[in-house]
Amino acid sequence: MKDEANAKIEEEAIIAMLMMRAKALGEKNAKDALSYETEDEIEFSLAPPLVYHGQDEAGLQAWFDTWEGPIGGEVRDARLTVGEDVAFWSGLTRMSGTKTDGTAVDLWFRQTLGLVKQDGRWLVAHQHASVPFAMDGSGRALLDLKP
């Protein structure tokens, strides 16, 4: 019973952290968003390059600055697997809002987060986001898919 109770406590701590991180991302607060990530995180983002190493507050804030108003978010089909000091979260994530050039964004993508427990805190250590692409040889990203 103690293990089940412990697992529930860890799961609740991770979900609370992810919600606070999502709030910081939606409010375009780079410093707060990065406070929920390890210093040496690895990120496979939708944007180039193929991989980012470590935190880049200035780069994240510069991307936030390309948005008019808050960035909307929604999650579907989320799954969380929790170990003693490692956890994995995956789900379908929606990003919505308006860019400063007036372009409306409404994009669903796949996201996986690898989390580690450091000094009693759960932090994101690995991020992977992707969209499917057409398998017809065109390589075209399929950005209009919805869950």
Side-chain angles (χ1 to χ4, degrees), residues 23-118:
K23 182 177 186 287
L25 290 168
E27 293 175 349
K28 304 184 300 187
N29 186 325
K31 183 176 181 177
D32 281 358
L34 293 175
S35 73
Y36 301 105
E37 301 174 9
T38 63
E39 292 285 330
D40 62 347
E41 73 167 324
I42 296 173
E43 181 178 357
F44 299 107
S45 174
L46 294 173
L50 287 174
V51 63
Y52 290 93
H53 295 276
Q55 296 185 356
D56 179 10
E57 185 177 338
L60 182 57
Q61 192 61 57
W63 181 73
F64 285 158
D65 292 344
T66 67
W67 292 82
E68 188 69 42
I71 302 170
E74 180 181 345
V75 171
R76 292 207 188 150
D77 302 329
R79 291 181 179 248
L80 178 61
T81 302
V82 181
E84 189 173 323
D85 58 1
V86 176
F88 292 92
W89 179 95
S90 64
L92 300 175
T93 302
R94 182 181 187 191
M95 177 174 43
S96 59
T98 305
K99 302 293 276 186
T100 55
D101 68 2
T103 302
V105 175
D106 188 358
L107 170 69
W108 282 95
F109 60 96
R110 304 173 291 198
Q111 187 171 38
T112 302
L113 302 174
L115 303 109
V116 295
K117 192 172 187 181
Q118 291 182 349

Side-chain angles (χ1 to χ4, degrees), residues 1-18:
M1 188 67 160
K2 184 178 179 183
D3 287 338
E4 280 184 38
N6 234 13
K8 187 68 174 165
I9 290 168
E10 296 297 350
E11 183 177 311
E12 289 172 359
I14 290 169
I15 291 169
M17 180 276 289
L18 291 175

